[in-house]
Amino acid sequence: GGVVSAYMNTVLPPSSPIPPVVDAITTRRSIRCYQANRPIERDILLALLRLAGQAPSNFNRQPWQFVVLDTPLGVAKINTLLREGSTQIEQTPKAEELFHFLDHVKHWLYPLEGSAAMILAFYKPAPERVDALISDIMESGSVQAYNPNLVSMSMAIQNLLLAAHAHGLGACMHSGPLPFLRHKVNRLLGLPDKLELAGLISLGYPDTDVAEVHEPATPRKPVTKTSRFVTDAELLVGNN
């Protein structure tokens, strides 16, 4: 692909093999269609969790808690919560205001309904005392809007997605359904309310008979649009 070619042409000598990590990053994509009635071996799921846990985290707190549902009953329970939550909102006066959001979420429920396993990613959202104290001293604003634990959680999720791809699995990270699950899913799973659901990952072996599985990855924005280098001249102007 173009990203791999750009990397090879600018960083590596000609004809160099593509490093496995580069291949994994550039060929991974969200897969939403899975083979029916093909479970994922527990050993593979454990391998994904171990690799997710290799992610860096602030102060090595490792603030993540992954919950795996890999049986038809477990998957069905989560999908039932999603359907009940959607129905509950549709019956309120705000349903019309939220119509487009509800329609979007319901459209993308099929990966969750067809997944062989789900991994729910939780983290502790409350700011740590040290972060809050430093924020007060530096007058840098509330740390409620930014939580380093969520950043750490996100890095672990990316590890998990890359690991799934490397093991021949399809995976998709879902955030749209989270409002329907928060705290309800904690009660279902016997988890404390202080744990916040950060993501819901559907997993399965890709259904290669479905055209969607073979579609190319969505184009990414050019790096020139998302990044920039700061010059010394800019820094000097800023100090005057």
Side-chain angles (χ1 to χ4, degrees):
V3 176
V4 179
S5 299
Y7 176 87
M8 294 290 288
N9 293 337
T10 59
V11 178
L12 297 176
S15 303
S16 295
I18 301 173
V21 67
V22 175
D23 181 68
I25 291 171
T26 53
T27 59
R28 186 219 64 82
R29 56 182 295 269
S30 295
I31 300 294
R32 301 177 178 87
C33 297
Y34 313 115
Q35 296 178 30
N37 303 316
R38 185 178 177 185
I40 302 171
E41 297 85 345
R42 277 279 174 96
D43 287 346
I44 292 179
L45 291 170
L46 284 169
L48 303 189
L49 297 171
R50 291 190 183 101
L51 291 167
Q54 291 296 311
S57 62
N58 55 310
F59 293 101
N60 196 31
R61 287 169 176 157
Q62 302 173 55
W64 43 75
Q65 181 75 45
F66 293 104
V67 177
V68 183
L69 298 164
D70 63 345
T71 67
L73 177 61
V75 170
K77 286 281 189 182
I78 299 302
N79 281 301
T80 296
L81 282 183
L82 289 172
R83 292 292 180 187
E84 289 176 349
S86 176
T87 300
Q88 181 180 346
I89 293 175
E90 287 174 338
Q91 295 172 348
T92 67
K94 294 192 177 292
E96 185 175 350
E97 183 180 344
L98 293 169
F99 170 78
H100 292 293
F101 172 74
L102 289 169
D103 186 61
H104 175 81
V105 169
K106 286 192 291 185
H107 174 75
W108 291 107
L109 285 181
Y110 70 90
L112 297 169
E113 294 170 340
S115 59
M118 292 180 182
I119 298 181
L120 285 72
F122 294 86
Y123 76 105
K124 182 182 177 184
E128 301 288 344
R129 178 170 169 75
V130 170
D131 299 324
L133 288 173
I134 292 175
S135 177
D136 287 342
I137 295 169
M138 301 298 294
E139 298 181 349
S140 54
S142 171
V143 292
Q144 292 285 356
Y146 165 75
N147 193 288
N149 286 351
L150 181 55
V151 177
S152 299
M153 173 86 262
S154 301
M155 291 188 283
I157 290 175
Q158 177 69 349
N159 269 17
L160 194 151
L161 295 173
L162 290 171
H165 176 57
H167 280 80
L169 294 170
C172 183
M173 160 69 186
H174 305 264
S175 58
L178 300 190
F180 303 118
L181 293 175
R182 287 198 174 103
H183 303 302
K184 287 186 177 181
V185 76
N186 292 54
R187 290 192 289 272
L188 173 68
L189 301 172
L191 297 173
D193 285 341
K194 68 180 180 180
L195 287 179
E196 189 79 37
L197 184 61
L200 177 58
I201 300 111
S202 58
L203 289 160
Y205 288 96
D207 185 349
T208 55
D209 292 333
V210 178
E212 177 187 315
V213 171
H214 304 285
E215 292 177 357
T218 305
R220 296 311 196 247
K221 295 179 181 178
V223 69
T224 52
K225 296 289 187 181
T226 60
S227 315
R228 74 183 183 95
F229 290 88
V230 177
T231 66
D232 288 350
E234 289 177 287
L235 296 175
L236 292 171
V237 169
N239 287 332
N240 292 332

